[in-house]
Amino acid sequence: MSTVDFPVPVKVASGCSDAPVLRERGQHEVFCGLTGIIWLHRKIQDAFFLVVGSRTCAHLIQSAAGVMIFAEPRFATAIIDERDLAGLADANAELDRVVTQLLARRPEIKLLFLVGSCPSEVIKLDLSRAASRLSAQHSPAVRVLNYSGSGIETTFTQGEDACLASMVPGLPAATADRQQELLVVGTLADVVEDQFIRLFHEMGIERVRFFPPRRASDQAPVGPNTRMLLAQPFLADTARALQARGAVLLAAPFPLGVEGTTAWLQSAATAFGVSDQQFAAAVSAPTARARAALARAKIHLDGKSIFFFPDSQLEIPLARFLSRELGMRLIEVGTPYLHRQHMAQELALLPAGTALSEGQHVENQLDRCRAARPDMVVCGLGLANPLEAEGMTTKWAIELVFTPIQGFDQAGDLAELFTRPLVRRLRLAA
Ligand code: SF4
C-alpha cells in the first residue's frame, strides 16, 4: 500500500504567499454571471432560472447552453422590452403574470430563481421584493429567490456565488448538539460528487452533504458543527454567508490534480479525526491511477510555457497543478479577483517568482502575452480566436468550468484539456 507523499500545505509561508500582485483596472473581456445558469440548472434538478433581462441575455444563455429540443429547459428569459424601459408598463405586474403562467405550466418546479441582469438593474427593478412577494404567493409549493447575474463589473463564475449565497438564509439551523457534518460547497458534476462520497465514506466520514444539492428540498442544516470544504475557488460571498451561520471553513487547496485533491481530502480527514492509515487506504489506489494518467500527459506539457488571462477564478489552482504536476512554466497567472484567505494554500504552492495579476487591462495584458509568446494561453472566447490567428495556442477558460475536472479520476482528463490543443497545433504544423 502506498502512502500519501505530498505534504499537506497548511500555513506554509512560501511559494507566492507574499508575492507582489500586479493590480490592473481597465477594459475586461469576460462573460457575465448569467453564464452560471448553464451548469447550475443541470445541478439543481427541480429549480428554474428566470432571467429578467433583454434579448441579448436570452441569446447568451440559449447559445451557451445549447437549445434543448427533447427536454424542456429549466431556464428562460422574461424580456424587458421598450415599454418597460420607458416606464409605460408595470414591470412588476408583468413579472407576476409571467411567473404565475410558468408555475402553472411546470408543476415540477420547486425553486424559482429570478435572475437580475444589466437591464433589470438599469430600470432598478427590485427583484428581491418581487421574490418575497411571489414566494408568499406560491409557497409552500415553490420558493422564489433572487440574485444578480448582471455583467456590470462581475465575472461569469460570480453568478454561481450569487446564486448559492441567495440560498444560504433558507437553510435550516443545525442545533449545537448535532454531530459534526461535512458540507462540500460549490457545484460539482454528479459523477465527481459520487466519487467524493465514496472516498469520504472509505475514510470513515459518513455525514457529508453537498451544496448546492441535487434537489431543492435537500437542505443541509448549518451551524457550529458544520465543517465546510470549498470545491470551487469563486465562492467568497457564499462562504461568508455560511460562516455567518456558524460553519467553519477548512483550509485547503482546491481538488485539482493529485496534489490538490489529496490535500483537500486530508483537510477533511484531519477535521474528522481520520487516522493516517485509513486515509492512505482510501486514497492510494485512485492516487496511483491519477499519477499514471498524468505521467502520459507530462510528456507533452513538461517545460511548456503558459499564460493565464483572468476569467474563471480557477486560474491559480490550475497554474499550481500545471506547474507542480506537469512541469509547465508559468509566464503570468491572471485572476479577476484574488481572495487571499481562500487562496492561501494555493499561493503557498506556486513557484516563487510567479507573475501574478489581479483584474484586467486587456490591452496591457495582450502586450505582455505577445511579448512572452507562451506555448499556451488560457483565455475567454473573445480573445481566443484573435490569438489563434496570431499563431498562439489557446484554451478556453469556460471549458474548464463546464468539464468535470475535480478529483483523482478526472486529473488525467484535466491534463488532457491542455495537451489536446498543443498536439493539434503540432499536427497542423507538420
Ligand atoms: S446580463 Fe448584461 S452582460 Fe449579461 S447578457 Fe444580459 S445585458 Fe449582456
Side-chain angles (χ1 to χ4, degrees):
M1 184 184 299
S2 64
T3 52
V4 182
D5 57 4
F6 283 118
V8 179
V10 178
K11 288 188 181 157
V12 184
S14 59
C16 287
S17 295
D18 304 314
V21 177
L22 172 66
R23 293 209 160 72
E24 294 201 305
R25 295 290 175 266
Q27 195 193 332
H28 54 272
E29 299 277 339
V30 285
F31 281 125
C32 65
L34 296 187
T35 322
I37 293 171
I38 294 154
W39 61 90
L40 285 162
H41 89 275
R42 291 196 194 118
K43 187 71 209 176
I44 318 172
Q45 288 153 20
D46 49 2
F48 193 97
F49 295 80
L50 184 65
V51 176
V52 184
S54 63
R55 287 182 204 286
T56 311
C57 309
H59 185 67
L60 172 89
I61 52 165
Q62 231 159 33
S63 53
V67 179
M68 294 186 216
I69 297 168
F70 301 112
E72 282 211 88
R74 288 194 300 272
F75 57 84
T77 308
I79 307 275
I80 297 174
D81 60 24
E82 289 77 17
R83 276 171 10 103
D84 302 304
L85 288 169
L88 297 174
D90 182 347
N92 278 298
E94 282 287 292
L95 184 59
D96 289 10
R97 189 183 57 77
V98 168
V99 167
T100 305
Q101 252 179 14
L102 170 72
L103 296 179
R105 205 166 56 80
R106 303 284 296 269
E108 77 281 8
I109 298 171
K110 300 288 176 253
L111 176 59
L112 173 67
F113 290 101
L114 303 178
V115 188
S117 64
C118 305
S120 72
E121 280 185 13
V122 167
I123 65 164
K124 303 213 177 322
L125 187 56
D126 189 341
L127 289 183
S128 114
R129 277 181 57 189
S132 318
R133 181 177 70 237
L134 288 162
S135 235
Q137 222 173 306
H138 296 282
S139 73
V142 185
R143 277 186 299 140
V144 184
L145 299 175
N146 76 288
Y147 72 89
S148 172
S150 146
I152 302 170
E153 288 300 316
T154 56
T155 189
F156 72 96
T157 46
Q158 281 178 293
E160 171 167 345
D161 192 20
C163 173
L164 300 195
S166 79
M167 294 170 76
V168 173
L171 296 176
T175 50
D177 58 353
R178 195 180 164 91
Q179 259 186 306
Q180 191 166 278
E181 194 165 75
L182 181 63
L183 186 64
V184 178
V185 181
T187 301
L188 291 169
D190 289 354
V191 55
V192 177
E193 213 174 272
D194 291 340
Q195 288 164 10
F196 281 141
I197 291 172
R198 267 199 304 280
L199 281 167
F200 285 126
H201 286 180
E202 281 168 29
M203 285 157 54
I205 303 174
E206 297 290 339
R207 299 174 68 85
V208 187
R209 306 285 284 260
F210 288 81
F211 184 69
R214 295 184 199 188
R215 309 223 60 97
S217 56
D218 180 18
Q219 303 234 78
V222 187
N225 288 328
T226 305
R227 297 293 172 268
M228 162 174 58
L229 208 43
L230 291 181
Q232 299 286 4
F234 41 73
L235 298 173
D237 289 348
T238 307
R240 203 176 306 120
L242 286 164
Q243 284 174 298
R245 298 279 311 268
V248 177
L249 177 66
L250 302 180
F254 292 91
L256 300 181
V258 177
E259 181 178 32
T261 305
T262 306
W264 188 78
L265 292 169
Q266 176 70 68
S267 181
T270 305
F272 284 75
V274 176
S275 71
D276 290 351
Q277 290 82 348
Q278 195 164 2
F279 182 73
V283 303
S284 59
T287 301
R289 276 200 305 275
R291 286 214 176 107
L294 292 183
R296 290 192 289 277
K298 194 169 180 180
I299 297 166
H300 300 287
L301 297 175
D302 200 14
K304 297 282 192 302
S305 59
I306 189 161
F307 190 109
F308 285 87
F309 280 79
D311 214 275
S312 66
Q313 301 192 59
L314 281 163
E315 294 83 5
I316 292 175
L318 286 169
R320 179 263 303 157
F321 163 68
L322 291 168
S323 72
R324 290 174 64 96
E325 298 192 51
L326 293 162
M328 292 193 84
R329 289 186 296 115
L330 306 176
I331 303 290
E332 178 170 331
V333 182
T335 180
Y337 305 99
L338 178 57
H339 192 298
R340 284 222 169 250
Q341 189 203 352
H342 292 178
M343 280 296 158
Q345 314 279 317
E346 293 286 353
L347 289 172
L349 290 168
L350 278 184
T354 303
L356 296 168
S357 61
E358 182 190 17
Q360 189 165 41
H361 186 301
V362 73
E363 292 302 333
N364 289 352
Q365 204 168 28
L366 279 168
D367 288 347
R368 296 198 295 276
C369 182
R370 287 180 179 125
R373 298 295 302 177
D375 294 305
M376 188 176 295
V377 180
V378 180
C379 60
L381 291 170
L383 294 177
N385 280 350
L387 289 174
E388 287 275 344
E390 291 176 30
M392 288 195 234
T393 305
T394 61
K395 173 87 254 156
W396 295 348
I398 201 162
E399 202 185 333
L400 297 155
V401 182
F402 288 168
T403 314
I405 55 171
Q406 294 81 6
F408 293 124
D409 289 329
Q410 281 63 240
D413 298 343
L414 175 55
E416 214 188 304
L417 288 175
F418 292 90
T419 56
R420 233 181 282 146
L422 277 177
V423 170
R424 190 191 58 217
R425 186 164 285 274
L426 281 176
R427 283 211 189 108
L428 288 174

